[in-house]
Amino acid sequence: MTDDATDGYAPHPYIGGRTAVLRALAAWRMKWPGTPRVLVLTGNPGCGRSHLITGFLMLCDPEYRKRLPLDDLDPSTVPSELPAPAVPGAAGMTAAQVAWLLADHFGLEADDVTDVFTELATLAAPVTVVVPDVDRAGPVRTAGEPARLTREVLKPLAAIETVHLLTEMPRELAEEFAAGLPVGTVQVIDLDAPQWADPQGLVLQAEALLNPQLGAPDLPFTTDAPTRGSLAEAIGRRAGTSPLTVELAVQSILTSPDTFTPHDEAPLPSSIGQALDLHARRLQADPQTLRHLLAPLALAEGDGLPVELWPRLVNTLAGKDMSGVIAGGSALTEPFVRSLERDGDDGPHTLLQLLHPAIADEIRAGLPNIRTAQTQLAMALLEAVPEQDWSKADAYVRDHIAGHTLEAGLLPQLLTDPGLFVHADPVPLRAAIEAVPTGELGAPARTYLRTAPLLTRTQAPAVQRAALLETAFVEDGLPEYADAIHRLGLNLPWQTLWSRPVPGISAVSVGSLPRREGPAIPVAVLDVPAGTPGEGSRSAVLVLGLVQPDHLGDTDTEQILRLSEEERAATPLELTRGTDHLRVWDRASGEIVATLLSDTPVTAADLSPDGILLVATERGAKALRILP
């Protein structure tokens, strides 16, 4: 059975069809008896999964429903008015981020991701969750986040009997997802299958796109209703089950109407690849030329490619100068590309992106070797960094070079540059590094990966990222990388003097050890568990030099001069402490001088009169000189 019977009702104004699917979604929303608790939409790229869920959510939102002609729609497709479901959109998000969005929506008290599912299961009333755009999950396209989201979030959600879940995902993930659930729990709706296909909806879509009253230009075959209807029928018939193919066919025609004959079906595409090739031929261009122009966009990361970088990368991948084609090729690329305006640190930027991810899939499938192409792109992007100074790099290059080198197999070689660690957006950089087997990562990359949760959680600016990484490098025995960070020209709030991996420290204090000759030695006194190497024989303490962490032998702690309360009150800096952070304040101005975040709980801290911060965490102890 196809979806062409509307029984006289008006089509959904946004979806324009899909009556059978909308009936299934409405039944799920209202929990009709016999309706599976979990629904999954799947199908070929471009089948309209995301579009369909967006239109259905309009019917689920109490405010948006007021704008829809509900009385004109098929009643079996319109769910009753209920509170809006939770909709943690997955586009660009990690699996963990989607889980935390759920926790925020339901006000859950959770310390980690697994707690989210435990807390959800204890809620008194059933909950409704819609997770769209699974295929677009993750800040790095090739890092495997859609599969991680499916396994680590969607499967645990579906296993909770009080959760009613609607999601959409590629067919291979849908099969894996459904295979692990009890019979009767889940229904997979394949939008390309005959019982869910909507050929009449494709015709309605084409006619709407061709209609001057809905924005199409006035042309002989758009203003004449019978001609427009015949053309829409032909476009829908040729497109099979793909709304994207319909859209590309119409946009191609409207971009260059002079080259189109309305009564000839031969130039109408039956696939996304044909839409590309037929459009190029209608403009008397080589289809490969169009694919050359779109290739950098098909390999791009994030929200799109800066328009300034696009020509350079086209030339790189094509292996020849394409500037003439680019200068006169707007009609060639227009049906497949859109531009976005984004605000940046130095003003607005124009980004180019492909109209739909399925176009990118088609372009990538036609590349001879994706790894080679990504290697070429990565080299071109690296050459675009002025003076190899990451602080001067274009934001796209700085934040997404890791994604390109990941697919090129070159990311480990890139992860030795402290400047990149400091200036790149930590969210995509962390995601890219996590996709590399740990055994292939060098020591600096492992340090970054350990520190990355702090950087992403706090959204720290570059100076704070630099300071946290500087300390982490010293902790991990990589002082040369800490020194390199100090050479980046940033005004760091501290210099880490030393770090010692001493577990179990219960208290710390600064003091001074008098000498018979010369000034007293500043010292760090650490209360440590009995048996700690280097502890004093008469007490469970470890005495180290505060500036140079030399063991001071079997020091008699009674010889150490401690700060009095009066001396502490007279120091220019003061210290406050939380469970995972420390703040150093200027006593006179009341301003924060430095904030130290820790990835393990802070167990003790002290501050010397000359501004050396002594800190103990579960990992060990370290000393940081606070810089003016």
Side-chain angles (χ1 to χ4, degrees):
M1 177 179 128
T2 59
D3 200 11
D4 55 5
T6 60
D7 297 324
Y9 294 109
H12 187 297
Y14 182 78
I15 298 173
R18 297 288 191 188
T19 302
V21 182
L22 284 174
R23 286 172 180 157
L25 294 175
W28 166 84
R29 175 68 170 140
M30 294 186 288
K31 305 180 178 67
W32 284 356
T35 302
R37 183 170 51 79
V38 179
L39 279 188
V40 180
L41 300 186
T42 190
N44 296 325
C47 68
R49 299 188 308 257
S50 298
H51 190 84
L52 181 52
I53 283 191
T54 300
F56 176 65
L57 287 174
M58 295 175 182
L59 296 169
C60 298
D61 184 277
E63 289 302 314
Y64 205 98
R65 285 167 64 98
K66 297 174 183 177
R67 296 182 243 167
L68 296 175
L70 299 184
D71 292 340
D72 298 334
L73 304 182
D74 183 338
S76 65
T77 67
V78 180
S80 302
E81 185 168 349
L82 299 166
V87 188
M93 296 287 185
T94 65
Q97 285 174 316
V98 173
W100 290 121
L101 288 173
L102 278 172
D104 289 342
H105 180 89
F106 292 111
L108 305 179
E109 296 291 335
D111 294 325
D112 59 40
V113 169
T114 56
D115 290 341
V116 174
F117 309 116
T118 304
E119 292 294 313
L120 265 179
T122 64
L123 294 180
V127 298
T128 303
V129 178
V130 180
V131 183
D133 300 322
V134 171
D135 59 324
R136 296 171 55 205
V140 176
R141 182 173 47 78
T142 57
E145 203 64 33
R148 188 174 296 114
L149 173 65
T150 302
R151 294 163 189 161
E152 298 179 7
V153 176
L154 297 179
K155 278 199 170 187
L157 270 181
I160 302 172
E161 293 186 0
T162 52
V163 170
H164 290 256
L165 176 64
L166 168 63
T167 186
E168 56 91 6
M169 61 184 68
R171 191 175 284 115
E172 63 275 11
L173 287 180
E175 292 171 354
E176 175 189 337
F177 173 76
L181 293 172
V183 175
T185 300
V186 61
Q187 179 180 13
V188 176
I189 296 177
D190 189 326
L191 297 180
D192 294 304
Q195 66 267 38
W196 303 111
D198 186 13
Q200 187 57 34
L202 296 184
V203 175
L204 291 174
Q205 176 194 1
E207 187 154 10
L209 292 171
L210 290 166
N211 195 331
Q213 294 181 352
L214 298 176
D218 289 336
L219 298 164
F221 54 83
T222 63
T223 54
D224 181 70
T227 304
R228 183 176 68 238
S230 297
L231 178 56
E233 289 275 0
I235 291 172
R237 184 165 53 249
R238 291 280 295 171
T241 61
S242 172
L244 178 59
T245 302
V246 169
E247 182 177 2
L248 297 181
V250 173
Q251 295 305 324
S252 172
I253 292 167
L254 297 182
T255 298
S256 52
D258 294 342
T259 65
F260 177 69
T261 303
H263 303 293
D264 183 4
E265 283 195 27
L268 297 178
S270 60
S271 67
I272 297 166
Q274 276 195 2
L276 290 162
D277 297 342
L278 289 172
H279 178 74
R281 292 192 183 103
R282 284 181 47 240
L283 296 184
Q284 298 183 333
D286 182 353
Q288 192 58 40
T289 298
L290 173 57
R291 290 172 180 262
H292 281 322
L293 295 175
L294 300 182
L297 304 180
L299 296 170
E301 294 284 341
D303 290 334
L305 198 64
V307 66
E308 299 84 3
L309 282 174
W310 179 53
R312 177 179 192 152
L313 300 184
V314 168
N315 292 341
T316 295
L317 292 183
K320 56 186 177 182
D321 184 4
M322 300 278 288
S323 56
V325 177
I326 293 170
S330 61
L332 190 57
T333 58
E334 186 177 341
F336 312 101
V337 177
R338 61 183 165 200
S339 61
L340 305 171
E341 296 298 324
R342 290 287 187 269
D343 291 330
D345 296 335
D346 52 352
H349 292 268
T350 301
L351 301 178
L352 299 178
Q353 66 173 203
L354 293 176
L355 189 66
H356 192 281
I359 303 173
D361 293 341
E362 170 66 27
I363 297 293
R364 287 195 297 268
L367 292 173
N369 188 306
I370 287 184
R371 175 170 282 206
T372 298
Q374 286 285 29
T375 299
Q376 294 170 325
L377 278 188
M379 294 302 103
L381 293 174
L382 287 170
E383 290 171 2
V385 179
E387 304 165 25
Q388 296 305 294
D389 182 346
W390 288 103
S391 68
K392 300 177 182 177
D394 180 274
Y396 179 88
V397 179
R398 184 185 67 220
D399 296 338
H400 295 297
I401 184 67
H404 290 284
T405 52
L406 173 66
E407 196 166 18
L410 301 173
L411 182 56
Q413 293 92 303
L414 186 69
L415 300 177
T416 58
D417 189 336
L420 177 65
F421 290 149
V422 166
H423 290 290
D425 183 339
V427 173
L429 181 55
R430 175 188 180 184
I433 297 175
E434 286 179 337
V436 177
T438 305
E440 297 179 15
L441 296 176
R446 293 195 297 272
T447 295
Y448 183 90
L449 208 51
R450 175 174 73 79
T451 314
L454 281 180
L455 309 183
T456 55
R457 187 182 78 219
T458 60
Q459 298 182 331
V463 171
Q464 181 75 356
R465 294 200 294 264
L468 293 173
L469 285 166
E470 185 261 8
T471 295
F473 283 132
V474 174
E475 287 179 332
D476 291 352
L478 299 170
E480 66 276 21
Y481 284 90
D483 293 341
I485 285 180
H486 280 286
R487 294 194 294 270
L488 293 177
L490 300 168
N491 293 319
L492 298 191
W494 60 69
Q495 179 181 13
T496 305
L497 301 175
W498 54 265
S499 175
R500 286 291 180 270
V502 182
I505 299 172
S506 58
V508 301
S509 62
V510 298
S512 58
L513 184 64
R515 294 188 296 177
R516 291 181 180 177
E517 297 181 3
I521 302 172
V523 295
V525 183
L526 316 178
D527 289 17
V528 294
T532 298
E535 68 164 307
S537 60
R538 284 168 288 185
S539 59
V541 298
L542 189 63
V543 181
L544 304 174
L546 186 59
V547 179
Q548 298 289 336
D550 302 319
H551 286 284
L552 297 178
D554 194 10
T555 302
D556 183 355
T557 56
E558 293 182 1
Q559 298 178 4
I560 296 173
L561 302 178
R562 314 286 180 129
L563 293 178
S564 68
E565 292 303 317
E566 292 78 10
E567 289 173 318
R568 289 184 185 279
T571 59
L573 301 176
E574 61 179 325
L575 176 66
T576 59
R577 174 183 142 201
T579 56
D580 61 354
H581 70 275
L582 297 162
R583 287 193 176 94
V584 179
W585 303 74
D586 182 274
R587 199 181 293 274
S589 67
E591 295 181 354
I592 297 174
V593 176
T595 299
L596 176 64
L597 305 173
S598 178
D599 58 350
T600 57
V602 176
T603 56
D606 200 5
L607 186 63
S608 74
D610 58 344
I612 295 180
L613 176 62
L614 178 63
V615 183
T617 69
E618 291 184 352
R619 182 178 287 111
K622 56 193 172 190
L624 295 80
R625 184 186 299 280
I626 304 302
L627 301 176

